[in-house]
Every structure is written in C-alpha cells, then in structure tokens.
Amino acid sequence: MEFSKYQGLGNDFLLFDLRRWSFPGSALTAHPDLVRRLCDRRFGVGADGVILALPAASGAELQMRIFNADGSEAEMCGNGIRCLARFLADRDGDGPGRRWEVETAAGLIVPELEADGQVRVDMGPPFLEPDSVPTQLPTGPAGLPQGELELLGRTWAVAAAGMGNPHVVVPVSDVASLDLEQIGAALEVHPAFPARTNVHLVQVLNPAHLLMRVWERGAGPTLACGTGACATLVACHLLGLCDRLARLDLPGGPLQIEWDAGTGHVLMRGPAEPVFDGVLAPPYAREVDAWFGAAAPDTAPQGVGLQEVAPQQLAPQQEGDPIDCATACTQGCLRPEACPSAAARAKVAALLEGRSLDDLVRLANDSLESRLLGRRSDDGAGGV
Ligand code: ZDP
C-alpha cells in the first residue's frame, strides 16, 4: 500500500490516492484507531493527519477526506488541500494552471497550481452564522459570533468563524508570551463550541501583516493551519483590525490570504512540498487495505481490497484489442499466445540474471532518486 507524505508550512499529511476506486469516497467509514497509529510520530509514520483522494459523489473531479492525528474527521483542511493538489500534480505530471474541483464536507473547494509551484485555493465563503460554525456565541456588533469567555482566571474577548470547520480567533497584544498549550487545550473543548474548535492567537503587526499561533482541534499545536489563517483574516477584518488582503505569519511560514469583496470567497496562497513516498509494511498495509476495502460493494470478491473496476463492468475483449492485463488477467489470460505478461516476465528474468542483490538495490535507489529529482526540477526550486 503506497502513500506519500507532503507538508505545507510544516503541517504534514499522509496522502493516499484512491481516485480509481469504483464507488464514491463517502462510502468509507472512519477508522480512528488506525489513523492515530499511522500519525504517531514514534510508533507510526508521523503526521498531523491522513488525507484520502477519492472518487467524487457528484460532478466534481474528486473528493477529499481528512482525518486528524487523533482519528477524528475534519470537514476541511487548508494546508491539506494544497498538499493534495501538489500530490495529484506530481502523480499525474500536471503543471501550472491545473485546477481541481474537490468535493469536501465544507463544499466545493478549488485549488490551482501556480507557476512558482505555490498553490492558490478558492476556499469558498466563510460561515459567520453561529449555527454554521458551530458556536453558542451570539452574533456581535462586528457581524460574526463574538463574546467574552472566562478561562484560566482571565477574560478573553474572542470571535468565531467557520471555513467548513470551526475556528475561534483570539486577538492579543503579544502571541509569544502566552501559554498556547494551556489556552488551546481549554478553548478547544469550551462548551461554547459544541463540535470542539481550532484555536488561533493572533497579533496584529499592521493591517496587512498578522502573526498567529495555532492550536488545532484533534492535533494540538501545529506549525500552520490554512483554514485557520482564512478564518483569522476574516474575523480580524470584521473586527476592524486588518485589510481584506494580508500576510499571515504562522510558526511554519507565511500564507497570503484575501477575502475577495466581489465573490465573498476567501483565497489562500501558500506552499506545499513532497517529503517522501512510502510503502507500508505488511501488517499496516493489510489494515489499511481492509479499511479501504471494507466499503466495497457486495459484488466484490471476498478478501480483495481495492477494486479499480468491477470485472463484470468490462466490455468483452475483442480480437486485436490491446490487452489490459491488469484487469483481464483477473478473469484468466485471454490470449496466452500474445501474453504481454510473459514478455514482461522474460525481461525481468534477463534483468535479474547475473546481478547481485547490491546491484539491484543500487538500481532501485538510482531510479527513486531520479524520480524525485525529476519531480523537483519541474518547479525550478532546486534539489531535494
Ligand atoms: O478542523 C480540524 O479539526 C482541523 N484540525 C483540521 C485540519 C485543518 C488544517 N490545519 C488546515 O490547514 O486547515 C489542516
């Protein structure tokens, strides 16, 4: 079971490409225990979340689902969707200008690859009604949920906004001096936020430049939060603290966020980078395969995980058609006299003959390295 790790400003994700699955990704149930173990930085691969690229349920090109490191599912993920865009582009060989319509639990989100390798995302409109965040805070004078919360012996003036997922924004005079661990952990589960919340401390340097620290729902302190940066810009703009377009500095680096006056949509621009491609060891692979395969329709053969296309949906093979052995062979070889697999096996035998294990390891390393270097040279950003 292959996956890739990507990071956007140090917010890191494990990505699985399940786009060729034969039924919509919404059929998949969550598997919190497995996600928690995969995301564990010592016992697992290590990540802030797991992202699945799945077939769309309606109209869009694909569906994204995102699970936090604690196994809970989030509606959306800003850094994650930038990582997803780079991941898809790297897998498919797509370049600047490519855009994807992605179904998420927060609606249709549209990332686009830019010429410099950054990803620009139309994050849609923010949610400013208390019920849609969701929050118990009432709509305040600035036109978004606002209130004062008693916490850790202090009163905090906060505002809330949704980007599909919930965010509380706390403007302060000095983000560095505060105990994010304490404030974040307490605000995440504050009764004013029935679905828990992501927590953002923000300091206004000037109306076009904000400084943030992030406590993520389900993940704790992270280096960046894309949806959080969007919610923070919207909240700060409504509170009269910043412009519609600003740079938001997160611990992992800057994001550019704009709340477009014409469309009412929030636009986010920032980086996303590949870290490595991996293959899960057999016990993990079996579990992941069982997770993805568990949603397979009744017609799927027992014990088989991913079904790219159900065999009975294939058109009958015609004489002279190229053979797609990946699917045809599952029903037995249709044209043994012209079997391309036999030719491939002969090639492999010739390759193996007379080579030592060391030679083969060297060969594999070289090809992995050249693949990675090839990928990086596409965006002109230099080596790995
Ligand atoms: O809403 C949540 O539960 C978040 N932890 C989801 C992830 C959000 C993220 N940090 C982002 O960039 O938007 C990845």
Side-chain angles (χ1 to χ4, degrees):
M1 176 54 64
E2 284 178 33
F3 68 96
S4 296
K5 176 167 154 164
Y6 278 68
Q7 57 87 14
L9 300 180
N11 203 194
D12 57 346
F13 304 96
L14 310 182
L15 291 119
F16 291 87
D17 186 356
L18 305 174
R19 283 175 295 167
R20 299 189 62 202
W21 217 24
S22 60
F23 38 89
S26 30
L28 199 78
T29 53
H31 202 323
D33 173 61
L34 180 55
V35 168
R36 262 196 304 275
R37 281 182 289 126
L38 287 171
C39 290
D40 190 290
R41 296 192 184 275
R42 292 181 186 275
F43 291 96
V45 182
D48 291 326
V50 169
I51 292 180
L52 309 180
L54 296 153
S58 58
E61 183 172 345
L62 70 148
Q63 183 183 114
M64 172 177 95
R65 291 185 63 186
I66 147 96
F67 299 92
N68 290 312
D70 74 351
S72 62
E73 182 164 8
E75 300 82 353
M76 230 308 266
C77 175
N79 288 320
I81 204 159
R82 292 200 318 277
C83 290
L84 175 72
R86 279 300 298 262
F87 170 67
L88 298 176
D90 287 343
R91 285 185 72 81
D92 301 346
D94 289 323
R98 175 72 157 97
R99 57 204 286 284
W100 297 260
E101 294 200 338
V102 185
E103 269 172 19
T104 74
L108 196 67
I109 308 289
V110 186
E112 178 173 337
L113 210 58
E114 301 220 304
D116 61 1
Q118 297 236 336
V119 184
R120 180 178 181 276
V121 188
D122 182 338
M123 302 279 282
F127 296 89
L128 300 171
E129 294 299 323
D131 284 352
S132 60
V133 173
T135 177
Q136 312 279 336
L137 295 173
T139 301
L144 80 173
Q146 282 177 270
E148 297 199 330
L149 300 178
E150 297 297 330
L151 203 73
L152 308 167
R154 227 181 108 168
T155 304
W156 306 79
V158 307
M163 290 301 305
N165 53 354
H167 298 273
V168 62
V169 178
V170 190
V172 298
S173 56
D174 178 14
V175 282
S177 67
L178 291 166
D179 186 341
L180 177 67
E181 299 266 344
Q182 263 204 336
I183 301 166
L187 270 178
E188 177 183 357
V189 298
H190 192 284
F193 301 96
R196 302 191 288 152
T197 184
N198 297 287
V199 180
H200 310 291
L201 303 180
V202 57
Q203 174 180 347
V204 179
L205 300 175
N206 67 54
H209 195 178
L210 311 181
L211 192 59
M212 282 176 74
R213 287 174 74 199
V214 175
W215 173 278
E216 266 189 42
R217 174 180 69 167
T222 59
L223 295 181
C225 178
T227 48
C230 294
T232 299
L233 177 111
V234 166
C236 287
H237 179 71
L238 288 172
L239 294 170
L241 299 173
C242 74
D243 300 335
R244 294 195 88 99
L245 169 64
R247 166 180 162 163
L248 280 79
D249 285 351
L250 294 125
L255 284 175
Q256 191 197 73
I257 311 289
E258 178 173 11
W259 189 14
D260 186 71
T263 60
H265 288 205
V266 186
L267 308 172
M268 169 186 68
R269 193 169 181 282
E273 301 286 339
V275 182
F276 64 83
D277 297 326
V279 178
L280 292 171
Y284 260 127
R286 273 195 293 276
E287 279 190 76
V288 169
D289 199 42
W291 177 22
F292 300 153
D298 294 344
T299 52
Q302 281 294 308
V304 174
L306 296 183
Q307 286 287 296
E308 294 207 340
V309 183
Q312 57 273 30
Q313 292 167 7
L314 292 173
Q317 188 81 27
Q318 300 293 323
E319 189 71 32
D321 279 357
I323 304 175
D324 175 8
C325 293
T327 47
C329 277
T330 61
Q331 307 170 52
C333 184
L334 300 185
R335 286 170 54 202
E337 78 290 351
C339 173
S341 302
R345 276 198 298 275
K347 258 193 185 166
V348 172
L351 180 79
L352 293 179
E353 199 169 333
R355 289 198 200 233
S356 69
L357 193 57
D358 281 350
D359 284 343
L360 292 173
V361 169
R362 212 167 300 125
L363 193 71
N365 280 341
D366 286 352
S367 84
L368 240 183
E369 189 179 358
S370 57
R371 187 175 148 205
L372 280 172
L373 289 174
R375 166 152 80 182
R376 298 296 292 127
S377 63
D378 289 347
D379 60 22
V384 180

